[in-house]
Amino acid sequence: MLADSADDPLPVVVPVVPQGRKRKRPAPPTPSSPAPSDPGSTNGANPTDVLSSRVDLTSRPQLSIARGPIFVPVSEGSEYFKTDFIGVNRVGFRYVPAGINPPGHTLPCRTIESNPAAYRVSWEDRSPFITVTKDGLGLHGTTGFRSARCNVPMAEGKWYMEVKVLRGGGEHHTENNRREGSHVRLGWGRREAPLNGPVGLDGYSYGYRDKTGDKVTLSRPRPYGRSFGTGDVIGMYISLPPRRIASKKDPHDPAHLKRERIPIDLKGQEMFEILEYPQSKEMTALMDYSGKSTSSASVPSAPKKSSAGKIPERSGPSTTNKPAAVPLRPLPVLQGSRIAFFVNGECQGVAYQDLYDYLQLRQTETQRKKEKRRTREGVKEHRENPFDDGWLGYYPFISVFNDAIVRINPGPEFEFPPPRDIDALLDGEEGSTSAERTWRPACERYAEFMAEQWALDEVEEAEAKEDAIRAAANDKAEAAKKAEREKKKQAAEARKRAKLAAAAEAQQGLRGTPASADDERSTPGLSALAGLGQPSPLRHGTTYEGHIYGSVENVYSPAPTPASNGEVQGGQSGYNSEMEADNVEPPTPALEPWKYQSTDLSESSHQNI
């Protein structure tokens, strides 16, 4: 399977940048996908292609087990390897193997396993500076403290596993001349705990040190048990209360199960890319153990010297009203939870109890308003998930320093089996004997967890089908509304055209022009009378009382009429040069003054012709 993927690599497209021209940096509006791999890996120039279309996936095989990883030995003959062909969880993102869904599914991908399909260290959820064995049970450090988590979390119940220290407790490796020896820290941690530091670095993890036997969390060591080193077997026990059921009446309850993940192509392997849960300011505030107030409003700042070396003048109190600090949310705990460790079968007692809840803190109203911003249409973007995505819980957390080596034993057979009732031993009930074992080996959690993930896949598929049906109905309703709006628009345009035509007809009727004619020059026979069609410059002339010009026995109206055009082309005008020369007074009309009689255009036209 790995050979097939190596023979058919994805095409690599590298943009060409002209020399002397800097490549433009796009401003990222949202967190960009790093899709990281092991250091030094250069396979794939565009490793984060989003798999969104069924057409794009028809040529891909439908896998039930992921192709990766590819093991690269750290040296010839070594049993420890670097891993390639995977995405390493860092830079705020995490990666889970995905497989193509068969035809007929709405979602393009589903959750699949990776080899070996058993409880082990996670290929993706570990520091790339930790090398591993092929079975995922052996870990080897190469530098300062780096950590790895196992591939399945514990969300409820009582679980036990062993870790054997093959090199630790300050032992020096003969091939290195490092001043510090090899050290190991073991414990339990949440997803938010960083991998580039040891367990117990912050409040998200609880650790046990080999050098002193101290327990450590929030980077504060406290006396606990005996120290341990090379050859010792450390038993790790955790007890968690039943998982809290989310309230159906509270849509903002963090206990709701909801995934926010995007399927991508990473070096030819389908992967789910997930935006990692951020560390809350409430948990970060726990690291401030100085005892000083976190508010610096009353602390004077150091004066800044000017360019001339003079100290600025002292001013009065600032009148700037700083916004009040947002109060911190309470940190819930898991009542009755506890962690204990064993060294070679010897119980060291309760190390931690009432652990912090692994669920996210309830979002504030301000945070919810920010999340309501709509993403760009057609573009899938990551969004912070305030709910449980099914991967929350406490993970076995192994930290190695320098050349330390450990090996995990998730069971079911242990080198130093614990008592059947560990809680009774921790509570000091030595005389109680339990017929049944009250705890479970960690190896049994893997099959249970994968069943939970596949059940979530089915829920997501059903929801996606409902959303598709709802979206199709909405599109159909929107298309009907659009057609109705277009029909109304056309009807409105038709009414508007009819109104304009009626207005034009009324205006032409006032001018005495037939309603069917757009212009007086379009009337049949009128162009022959008008010659070139130019109107008479005297058509707006005014006739006065007691005067008549020409033989036409009427007085012309001040309003222009077609008759005025006819006079220019040969109509008999009552005014001529002979009358002016002889100074002959025109005859007085028989009509009463200021009474007008319109001239029939058709008759005068026939007379003139």
Side-chain angles (χ1 to χ4, degrees), residues 98 180 413 501 507 535:
E180 297 286 344
E413 300 297 330
Q507 186 176 6

Side-chain angles (χ1 to χ4, degrees), residues 448-523:
E448 181 180 275
F449 176 77
M450 293 308 303
E452 294 173 0
Q453 294 302 305
W454 293 327
L456 285 177
D457 286 348
E458 295 178 359
V459 172
E460 283 189 340
E461 179 67 23
E463 292 177 350
K465 288 183 178 180
E466 292 178 0
D467 292 342
I469 295 174
R470 192 180 303 109
N474 292 338
D475 292 342
K476 184 177 180 180
E478 187 64 27
K481 291 180 181 178
K482 184 177 180 180
E484 185 66 21
R485 288 195 299 267
E486 188 66 24
K487 184 177 180 181
K488 291 181 179 180
K489 182 179 179 181
Q490 293 177 358
E493 291 178 353
R495 289 193 299 268
K496 184 177 180 181
R497 288 193 298 268
K499 186 176 180 180
L500 292 177
E505 183 178 358
Q507 186 176 6
Q508 290 169 351
L510 292 176
R511 294 179 178 177
T513 307
S516 61
D518 294 336
D519 194 302
E520 55 189 35
R521 282 168 284 179
S522 65
T523 305

Side-chain angles (χ1 to χ4, degrees), residues 35 165 225 329 349 418 446 454 500 536 546 549 581 606:
V165 180
R329 294 165 291 180
Y446 179 80
W454 293 327
L500 292 177
S536 170
Y549 298 95
H606 288 297

Side-chain angles (χ1 to χ4, degrees), residues 159-454:
W159 303 92
Y160 183 83
M161 63 178 291
E162 287 182 346
V163 178
K164 186 170 185 177
V165 180
L166 302 181
R167 183 187 298 150
E171 178 185 347
H172 288 268
H173 187 33
T174 57
E175 298 179 1
N176 296 328
N177 294 323
R178 295 175 177 175
R179 184 183 65 179
E180 297 286 344
S182 302
H183 291 282
V184 175
R185 291 189 189 182
L186 306 173
W188 300 85
R190 292 161 55 180
R191 270 174 50 178
E192 297 91 333
L195 297 173
N196 59 348
V199 59
L201 181 65
D202 53 21
Y204 289 102
S205 59
Y206 304 88
Y208 180 28
R209 300 176 66 182
D210 65 345
K211 184 177 182 179
T212 60
D214 293 339
K215 61 181 181 180
V216 57
T217 185
L218 293 167
S219 295
R220 306 173 194 174
R222 297 290 186 269
Y224 170 60
R226 54 165 286 193
S227 60
F228 58 92
T230 302
D232 290 330
V233 177
I234 310 303
M236 299 169 49
Y237 172 75
I238 188 170
S239 174
L240 299 172
R243 191 179 304 182
R244 184 169 64 84
I245 304 300
S247 173
K248 296 182 179 180
K249 298 181 180 179
D250 184 4
H252 306 297
D253 189 345
H256 284 291
L257 288 172
K258 181 182 179 182
R259 287 168 167 174
E260 288 285 352
R261 59 185 190 176
I262 298 176
I264 66 170
D265 175 85
L266 181 60
K267 302 180 182 180
Q269 170 63 53
E270 299 81 26
M271 301 286 288
F272 284 117
E273 186 177 68
I274 306 167
L275 187 64
E276 188 57 281
Y277 292 106
Q279 292 190 355
S280 67
K281 59 183 179 181
E282 288 79 5
M283 291 294 291
T284 305
L286 297 176
M287 296 292 294
D288 182 18
Y289 53 90
S290 61
K292 298 180 181 180
S293 172
T294 56
S295 175
S296 59
S298 60
V299 180
S301 59
K304 296 181 179 180
K305 293 186 178 181
S306 62
S307 59
K310 297 181 179 180
I311 298 178
E313 295 181 1
R314 188 184 301 273
S315 59
S318 175
T319 57
T320 305
N321 294 327
K322 295 184 179 181
V326 179
L328 298 179
R329 294 165 291 180
L331 293 172
V333 297
L334 300 174
Q335 295 291 339
S337 59
R338 56 173 56 174
I339 291 175
F341 297 95
F342 293 76
V343 178
N344 299 329
E346 180 185 352
C347 181
Q348 303 299 304
V350 177
Y352 307 95
Q353 57 186 1
D354 294 340
L355 312 178
Y356 287 115
D357 195 347
Y358 53 78
L359 294 177
Q360 296 298 290
L361 297 179
R362 179 183 291 269
Q363 278 191 329
T364 62
E365 187 65 26
T366 303
Q367 291 174 328
R368 285 196 290 268
K369 288 181 180 179
K370 289 182 180 179
E371 289 300 322
K372 287 182 180 180
R373 292 180 300 178
R374 293 184 178 179
T375 56
R376 292 174 293 173
E377 184 178 358
V379 178
K380 299 198 70 175
E381 296 180 344
H382 288 289
R383 302 179 64 181
E384 289 188 6
N385 186 7
F387 307 105
D388 183 4
D389 65 352
W391 288 79
L392 290 182
Y394 276 95
Y395 293 78
F397 206 96
I398 296 96
S399 304
V400 289
F401 181 81
N402 284 347
D403 298 297
I405 302 176
V406 299
R407 183 166 181 83
I408 301 171
N409 178 15
E413 300 297 330
F414 297 106
E415 190 170 347
F416 295 93
R420 303 186 68 84
D421 191 346
I422 298 179
D423 285 332
L425 175 63
L426 296 176
D427 294 335
E429 301 175 3
E430 300 179 358
S432 67
T433 57
S434 176
E436 296 183 0
R437 191 180 61 187
T438 60
W439 51 269
R440 299 170 62 189
C443 60
E444 295 181 2
R445 174 61 179 150
Y446 179 80
E448 181 180 275
F449 176 77
M450 293 308 303
E452 294 173 0
Q453 294 302 305
W454 293 327

Side-chain angles (χ1 to χ4, degrees), residues 112-128:
I112 63 174
E113 302 174 275
S114 60
N115 282 319
Y119 200 90
R120 52 173 171 77
V121 68
S122 172
W123 303 133
E124 301 82 15
D125 204 13
R126 82 179 204 281
S127 170

